[in-house]
């Protein structure tokens, strides 16, 4: 049996997307990048790796359902079975949630439920916590609220800058995301 086919949704620099692509034994084939931000760096990364890119511009659609239906068509075209979010900055709506029940996974740079939403690493620094980390979780209709699959702690060192802490969190993300995806996929 071949690997499951997966799409990555990302809107940013794409370091997690790249980590998944470079992971030696990922139990999924990444067959599509979905990006909602024309011009995002992750698009160039996908092209460099020969991964098809679908750029979905929310402004072109009257509502979220129409926007997601357009994405869904592409996912079906590529026979996508799982969706991995990696820096996709938009809530997933019912159209995609219903089409992929318990098959949409996200990575978030904090120990949820602490610091959901944007700028989670800056929020942790601001709060003065000594430990933050990384969470991999299923997506539901809320903001970073779905069932938690895996977490790993990262210490905040005295005097850490945002970029230093971000770098250490990214290192954990790049290891934890492929490992967690592989664990999940053997269970299915
Ligand atoms: C990561 O920190 C991820 O946890 C969050 O968005 C960031 C994406 O970074 N959801 P990158 O584009 O993968 O470098």
């Amino acid at each position: 049996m071949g690997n499951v086919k997966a799409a990555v949704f990302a809107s940013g620099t794409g370091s997690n997307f790249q980590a998944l692509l470079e992971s030696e034994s990922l139990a999924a084939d990444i067959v599509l990048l979905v990006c909602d931000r024309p011009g995002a760096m992750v698009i160039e990364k996908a092209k460099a790796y020969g991964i098809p890119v679908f750029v979905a511009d929310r402004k072109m659609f009257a509502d979220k359902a129409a926007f997601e239906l357009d994405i869904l068509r592409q996912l079906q075209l590529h026979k996508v079975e799982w969706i991995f979010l990696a820096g996709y900055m938009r809530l997933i709506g019912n159209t995609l949630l219903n089409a992929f029940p318990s098959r949409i996974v996200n990575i978030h740079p904090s120990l949820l439920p602490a610091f959901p939403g944007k700028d989670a690493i800056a929020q942790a620094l601001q709060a003065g916590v000594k430990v933050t980390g990384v969470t991999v979780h299923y997506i539901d209709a809320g903001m970073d609220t779905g069932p938690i699959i895996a977490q790993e702690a990262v210490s905040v060192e005295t005097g850490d800058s945002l970029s230093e802490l971000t770098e250490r969190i990214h290192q954990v993300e790049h290891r934890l995301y492929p490992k967690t995806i592989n664990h999940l996929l053997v269970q299915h």
Side-chain angles (χ1 to χ4, degrees):
M1 216 174 71
N3 278 344
V4 306
K5 293 185 187 339
V8 172
F9 285 30
S11 328
T13 57
S15 72
N16 279 284
F17 171 67
Q18 186 169 358
L20 291 178
L21 286 176
E22 288 181 355
S23 160
E24 276 192 1
S25 49
L26 194 72
D29 292 335
I30 296 169
V31 297
L32 184 66
L33 171 75
V34 174
C35 180
D36 70 335
R37 205 162 60 84
M41 259 169 72
V42 67
I43 296 174
E44 294 313 313
K45 288 201 166 124
K47 287 183 179 158
Y49 282 87
I51 306 291
V53 178
F54 182 65
V55 180
D57 190 348
R58 172 69 180 83
K59 289 197 298 292
M60 307 295 283
F61 298 89
D63 54 32
K64 194 182 200 80
F67 169 68
E68 289 198 339
L69 208 54
D70 204 42
I71 295 176
L72 183 57
R73 271 192 220 107
Q74 291 298 318
L75 298 173
Q76 287 166 343
L77 215 62
H78 289 269
K79 302 192 168 18
V80 167
E81 303 163 85
W82 282 78
I83 298 172
F84 305 129
L85 308 184
Y88 184 71
M89 303 308 285
R90 199 174 283 281
L91 286 179
I92 300 293
N94 284 333
T95 306
L96 289 175
L97 285 172
N98 293 338
F100 291 87
S102 298
R103 283 173 181 245
I104 310 180
V105 175
N106 183 40
I107 186 158
H108 183 79
S110 75
L111 293 177
L112 289 172
F115 313 125
K118 271 194 189 164
D119 302 325
I121 303 172
Q123 287 185 56
L125 270 182
Q126 180 69 29
V129 295
K130 297 295 180 200
V131 178
T132 182
V134 174
T135 302
V136 179
H137 65 100
Y138 288 109
I139 280 291
D140 64 12
M143 168 88 83
D144 301 323
T145 50
I148 291 171
I149 304 164
Q151 289 186 307
E152 190 169 320
V154 174
S155 296
V156 182
E157 307 297 344
T158 309
D160 254 348
S161 67
L162 180 59
S163 63
E164 285 165 337
L165 183 56
T166 299
E167 173 59 28
R168 291 207 309 286
I169 286 189
H170 271 156
Q171 283 172 11
V172 171
E173 289 188 325
H174 298 164
R175 187 168 34 74
L176 186 65
Y177 209 9
K179 182 174 124 186
T180 307
I181 287 171
N182 285 345
H183 281 163
L184 267 183
L185 292 179
V186 294
Q187 291 163 18
H188 280 80

